[in-house]
Amino acid sequence: MNRRFTWFNATSLTLGFAFLYLPILILIIFSFNESKLVTVWAGFSTKWYASVFNNTAFLDAALVTLKVGVISSTIATVLGTMSGYVMVRGGRFRGRTLFSGMIYAPLVMPEVITGLSLLLLFISIGMDRGVFTIVLAHATFSMCYVSVVVSSRLVSFDRSLEEAALDLGCTPFDAFRSVTLPIIAPAVISGWLLAFTLSLDDLVIASFTSGPSSTTLPMKIFSQVRLGVSPEINALSTLLIGIVSIGVISASLVTKRSAVRRRAQEQQAVGGAA
Amino acid sequence: MPSEKPNQIRFAPWEDTEAVPLIRFRNVVKKFGEFTAIENLTLDIYEREFFALLGPSGCGKTTLMRMLAGFETPTAGEITLDGRDIVPVAPNRRPINMMFQSYALFPHLSVADNIAFGLKRSPMPKSEIAGRVEEMLRLVRLQKFASRKPHQISGGQRQRVALARSLAKAPKLLLLDEPLGALDRKLREDTQFELMDIQEKLGTTFVIVTHDQEEAMTVASRVAVMDEGKLMQVATPDVIYEQPESRYVADFIGDVNLIEGTVAEAEEGGYKLVWADGAPPIHAETDVPLSLGDSCTFAIRPEKIAISTDKPDDRANAVPGKVLDIGYLGNISTYHVQMPNGAIFKASATNSRRLSRRGITWEDEVWLSFTATAGVVLTQ
Ligand SMILES: Nc1ncnc2c1ncn2[C@@H]1O[C@H](COP(=O)(O)OP(=O)(O)OP(=O)(O)O)[C@@H](O)[C@H]1O
Ligand SMILES: [Mg+2]
């Protein structure tokens, strides 16, 4: 295999990354701009960050977003773990294929449709829209991501561990709680982080399901931008990018670290049993 | 003087028609889809038995154990424990513990916590658990490793943790799926004696799967030989070895010469069997009723065949041959001797002399001899 450095590789790498990250980089740079004009550089300043923290409308929206994120991703994690467990452990029950297809369908469903159908549901059952409806909507669509993460971990989980727990006197629930859950915990945690960042990101579904007093941060930013981009928005977006990156990076670190450790353990276990 | 100590009654509940078995399998069938893993199996196992399951890989030993532990439901038939149907009883409600073939140690718990796992879910008071765990650790000689995680100890150590964990609750019935395979010879023998000791003390009934025939012979009160989901023979180790009922069992357990022959003549207490042109017929004593012209197999163990340079005249059977090969095993040597018709017989002899002074070597013309009762006549 030839893995030498070539100008072609270097160029395509640079162009690719530029395409992906240049807009974000420009946004971050201009969030430190002294000038009120977004496109003219007038020196370094952090004053827009200060003004973000003094803007109560932004802070309220941030609080709503945080609340929605934490609650919805927790609900999604519980439900997603349960459905992932059933998918892998439930055996061959009638309609299993249909059920698994239905869990994964929201992954590819256009957000507009998810949002619209939820809106129609909430209207038809007469539910007042607000933080609660956004939480429900976010839990619904991020649950399937958690389910995918958890069930892919469970597939490689040694069933005889659960059997050993039952054999030693655990009820099925106790076996799940004291053996299965601690072992798949890294997958559950990264599922939660994934659900949280998805909720933080979402604009479309939140717009459909929010009420008058429940504007999330992405919604706030979007409505502000329509009135014209201000450096304040740049600063706020930079903060948001930071939080999302931390979430995604820590989710992948948790998964990767536990996968490495597990592989080492399994290798040794197989070596011992052979 | 009596040959047996008066207070030591022979343990053989399976001969007692009054005795009630602890476990009864009645016409048990287990199918995985189309595949039949256990075929119409009927078996009684008595309290305090040390019951060994022997058989080739894939014959259904683990499946049988898993049905006892409650992880597989029989497709048909019934399984009772103490007279109670246990098929509908959940695994956690059975007074049975199992040591898994794959060990199934909990990777997130330390060695000590693995052993304590079952105790914490038993009626045992909290204050006694630590002592019990300590006792188990001592038994399997892992005191030093109490706080390690399973991935930080060796394969043999892991096996011992699995053993200790299944022993800790002192269950009524203990299922051991190849419990000692990864241990070295010394530790294996020690553990075998420990197991027998535990059984003596606690009265636990053991069902053990093993690939080591010597182990089955040493520890078992009875041995079941299985093949493709069927029981071929269930008997005490000495009966299995000395009086196998079929070619399969004779061949599976230990070393054996299987000689195909036909009945040529009935004689006092047995038959004269013709087995090769020009070779003298075999005189075999047997209770098996046979008629002239029936074909049968004469099975004889190598150690029951004597090898000598001169023709012995006090033995019922003597055949000449040539030494092809000698397998030296330290305490014994196995001679592969070719008969005039090309068949190869194995005969083994104790090496009571040092190698250099031994009389028989390769290519020597020798005589193989055995008595009329040394082998068994098999028809299946
Ligand atoms: N869950 C299952 N689904 C389908 N077939 C199975 C299943 N479990 C076992 N079998 C089959 O049943 C047969 C008996 O398996 P079992 O594990 O009891 O063998 P074993 O005697 O324990 O073998 P070994 O000595 O290799 O452990 C095998 O042919 C196996 O492939
Ligand atoms: Mg097995």
Side-chain angles (χ1 to χ4, degrees), chain A residues 44-111:
Chain A
F44 182 85
S45 149
T46 55
K47 71 176 182 195
W48 301 113
Y49 286 88
S51 93
V52 165
F53 284 108
N54 288 326
N55 185 331
T56 47
F58 281 161
L59 290 184
D60 285 348
L63 200 65
V64 169
T65 306
L66 210 63
K67 228 193 283 181
V68 168
V70 170
I71 301 172
S72 73
S73 56
T74 306
I75 296 173
T77 303
V78 172
L79 293 179
T81 304
M82 273 159 57
S83 73
Y85 190 78
V86 171
M87 292 321 303
V88 177
R89 286 282 185 272
R92 312 240 114 237
F93 55 88
R94 262 177 85 86
R96 182 178 185 278
T97 321
L98 182 71
F99 185 60
S100 74
M102 279 165 63
I103 285 186
Y104 299 146
L107 291 179
V108 290
M109 190 88 79
E111 285 186 336

Side-chain angles (χ1 to χ4, degrees), chain B residues 103-179:
Chain B
Y103 313 153
L105 297 180
F106 305 127
H108 60 298
L109 298 179
S110 69
V111 166
D113 286 338
N114 262 283
I115 297 174
F117 192 90
L119 297 172
K120 287 182 184 156
R121 286 156 181 85
S122 72
M124 182 180 274
K126 272 215 168 61
S127 52
E128 288 170 31
I129 290 178
R132 178 74 180 157
V133 170
E134 190 59 32
E135 191 183 327
M136 286 295 125
L137 284 169
R138 193 156 356 99
L139 176 68
V140 294
R141 298 185 209 164
L142 287 173
Q143 293 109 306
K144 272 189 273 176
F145 302 93
S147 55
R148 297 246 192 126
K149 292 280 175 65
H151 68 274
Q152 295 166 322
I153 56 178
S154 77
Q157 290 167 341
R158 239 171 268 153
Q159 195 169 36
R160 282 182 276 158
V161 177
L163 183 63
R165 189 179 67 178
S166 60
L167 281 172
K169 282 178 89 176
K172 191 169 195 146
L173 174 61
L174 194 55
L175 309 173
L176 306 173
D177 202 346
E178 294 187 34

Side-chain angles (χ1 to χ4, degrees), chain A residues 235-248:
Chain A
L236 182 60
S237 307
T238 304
L239 289 173
L240 211 56
I241 289 166
I243 295 170
V244 170
S245 317
I246 289 170
V248 172

